[in-house]
Amino acid sequence: MIFQPRQTRAFSLVEVMISIAMVVLLMVGVVKVFQYTANTISSGLAVSEVNRRQRSAQTAFPTDLAGFQRLDSSTTVLDA
């Protein structure tokens, strides 16, 4: 019996490099999605803070204006 070496199939260097490049592109895409999500959440929190301040001002203005309306026409703001 003649011994014939068994040929094993393996990945070539080009195939390995292509698969690594595809994995890197996939990772870059995932990082971009996380960055976009973080920016969106940050913008949402900023809008929420502006809305909270606006509600606070909207609540305070009628109270402040009611105090001005109670003053006599002969009394100035500085006299009160």
Side-chain angles (χ1 to χ4, degrees):
M1 182 185 305
I2 299 176
F3 179 72
Q4 292 182 351
R6 187 173 170 195
Q7 289 190 351
T8 57
R9 254 292 303 128
F11 293 110
S12 69
L13 181 60
V14 174
E15 291 171 332
V16 171
M17 289 175 63
I18 289 173
S19 63
I20 289 173
M22 289 178 11
V23 168
V24 167
L25 287 175
L26 182 65
M27 290 173 58
V28 167
V30 169
V31 167
K32 289 295 181 182
V33 167
F34 277 115
Q35 286 177 342
Y36 179 75
T37 303
N39 290 341
T40 302
I41 289 171
S42 177
S43 297
L45 290 174
V47 168
S48 177
E49 178 65 19
V50 168
N51 285 340
R52 186 190 64 77
R53 289 182 182 193
Q54 185 270 336
R55 274 194 309 273
S56 175
Q58 193 174 13
T59 303
F61 282 147
T63 306
D64 292 345
L65 292 176
F68 286 124
Q69 291 173 354
R70 280 186 253 142
L71 294 175
D72 282 324
S73 59
S74 62
T75 307
T76 63
V77 175
L78 298 176
D79 294 337

